[in-house]
Amino acid sequence: MKSLLTRRTIRKYSSREVTEALLNRLLNEAARTQTMGNLQLYSVVVTRSAEMKERLSPAHFNQPMVKEAPVVLTICADFNRTSQWARCRNAEPGYDNFLSFMNAATDALLYTQTLCNLMDEEGLGYCYLGTTVYMPQTIIDALQLPQLVMPVATLTVGWPAEEPALSDRLPLESFVHSETYRDYTPESIDTFYTPKEQLPENRHFVELNHKETLAQVFTDIRYTKKDNEAMSQTLIETLRKQGFI
């Protein structure tokens, strides 16, 4: 089994085909993951055609791997299927609410992670696109998602054509708390973050962005308060349109 300690994000793929048989096997195996009430509150839309990749690309800020990857997977929180099942069996569903979205999103993301683990074992490469929830309406329109279906994750998938460097991670002590949450002090922040900040690639990142600290790159450029608030509003409006609020 391939170690998680060597997991890399792959954005460049070879021309080798990802067969339908292989992909379907992994998608089926991933369904053994944990799920609330054994309801499997997720759906996966498989995109292979260049036309559909072209339509999805703007939702992901036109990142090249969306068009270049052999396969794009959009994983959705889905309470539509369960609701349809209930109505067909003389039961009245009550899943048009935010809690139901959270439950379905959790199911979908657990499924996504299990699928990633399985793809690692097969030697496939993939990139998890956090952009999925930034402009969800574009994805909803392209994939014709009905109410109570919300995209929450996207994976570009293919056989790797690169071996990028491993990204850094914080130490175990920075995120594991014993018995109760231990709040952070300036001293502990220094202990946990200074090694990360001193990495040559991160120091270069700060210089490129003309900032004083790595934290400023994230707060002032990459994930700003203004952008977060705007995309939060978009997300809320989309959840309302999809019937979850």
Side-chain angles (χ1 to χ4, degrees), residues 168 193 196-198 201-203 205-206 211-219:
D168 62 89
Y193 281 88
K196 178 185 186 78
E197 294 164 337
Q198 292 304 314
E201 58 268 32
N202 285 335
R203 295 177 66 176
F205 196 33
V206 173
K211 291 295 178 181
E212 297 177 5
T213 68
L214 184 63
Q216 288 177 353
V217 176
F218 285 88
T219 60

Side-chain angles (χ1 to χ4, degrees), residues 152-192:
V152 294
T154 300
L155 300 172
T156 58
V157 181
W159 299 102
E162 63 173 347
E163 189 174 351
L166 288 173
S167 55
D168 62 89
R169 290 293 187 267
L170 292 170
L172 179 72
E173 297 80 8
S174 70
F175 57 84
V176 174
H177 303 256
S178 178
E179 306 298 345
T180 60
Y181 189 96
R182 178 191 68 254
D183 206 354
Y184 300 93
T185 64
E187 292 76 19
S188 65
I189 291 295
D190 285 344
T191 298
F192 299 145

Side-chain angles (χ1 to χ4, degrees), residues 91-106:
E92 186 57 38
Y95 308 121
D96 53 346
N97 45 69
F98 187 67
L99 177 63
S100 295
F101 167 70
M102 289 298 297
N103 286 331
T106 300

